[in-house]
Amino acid sequence: MQTHPIPVITIDGPTASGKGTVAHRAAQQLGFHYLDSGALYRLTALSALRHNVALNDEHALAKTAEKLPCKFIGDQVWLANENVTSAIRAEEVGNTASKIAVLPTVRHALVGLQLGFRAPPGLVADGRDMGTVIFPHATLKIFLTASVEARAYRRYKQLIDKGFPANMEDLLKDLRERDTRDSSRAIAPLKPAEGAHILDTSDMTADQAVDQVLQWYAAVKKHA
Ligand code: DC
């Protein structure tokens, strides 16, 4: 297998599996860069919603993705001159992101941006297709999941904490729909990459999950 000199850890998994938290903390502990690829789809969705781009206009959506004026500064996400860190987390934006993520030209338009995050000393990338499509030669690949109930509850708490309205029944329905859409789409469907470690976090704390990722990484490095 060809390996890239800059190590990459990919963490893929369904919505609200906790992969964002785990990937972010693992990156911090290793001193690595962090790519939240879902944020790029959310930024494209937000930009399209703001500019009234029709959600069936694939060409215009791909243009939006290609010219995304986004910046990541620490934990803050900017779109042009606006801090959109909270705005991209709204449910409407997440749902729209999931819909436009089925479009091949939109996915293609975001590839270069994602590859650009690979920089020394290393990268932790989270998303749906990090290990299958974007970084197929990653040093370590993880498929992080949790039961739909555990994920709905986590999302519920997240939304309430951020001051957004939330309802468990709606969230469960939404997650199931989004899971089906993310895993049944023709291009880059959500599935474990070849050789990925499966990590079910339904009964784990985020810290336990991070420890497991770091242990796997230490083992891979030892054998490299
Ligand atoms: O991880 P998230 O909920 O922030 O992602 C939002 C949407 O973006 C998700 O429903 C599917 C899409 N997505 C994708 O298709 N590929 C990725 N690598 C990351 C996200």
Side-chain angles (χ1 to χ4, degrees), residues 19 37-38 41-42 98 101 107 128-129 178 182 185:
K19 65 185 163 26
S37 62
Y41 290 90
R42 287 172 181 269
S98 169
R107 303 198 71 82
R128 303 293 188 291
D129 62 342
R178 214 184 291 184
D182 289 348
R185 67 182 175 218

Side-chain angles (χ1 to χ4, degrees), residues 139-140 197 212-224:
T139 321
L140 171 67
H197 291 270
Q212 179 62 79
V213 172
L214 296 179
Q215 271 178 37
W216 278 329
Y217 183 61
V220 174
K221 258 194 3 188
K222 216 161 107 186
H223 292 109

Side-chain angles (χ1 to χ4, degrees), residues 102-185:
V102 304
L103 303 170
T105 50
V106 170
R107 303 198 71 82
H108 186 72
L110 292 173
V111 171
L113 190 55
Q114 295 174 82
L115 294 177
F117 278 77
R118 179 163 56 190
L123 173 70
V124 180
D126 101 52
R128 303 293 188 291
D129 62 342
M130 297 297 96
T132 48
V133 177
I134 306 294
F135 300 108
H137 303 300
T139 321
L140 171 67
K141 298 178 190 181
I142 291 162
F143 190 80
L144 195 148
T145 188
S147 69
V148 71
E149 291 79 12
R151 291 187 284 128
Y153 183 63
R154 286 178 194 165
R155 178 51 59 90
Y156 176 84
K157 275 182 50 191
Q158 252 177 21
L159 288 169
I160 297 289
D161 286 350
K162 287 183 181 158
F164 288 115
N167 169 292
M168 270 297 279
E169 285 308 308
D170 291 349
L171 285 170
L172 271 170
K173 182 169 162 280
D174 233 57
L175 280 181
R176 288 194 176 107
E177 279 173 16
R178 214 184 291 184
D179 281 355
T180 307
R181 198 158 49 223
D182 289 348
S183 44
S184 63
R185 67 182 175 218

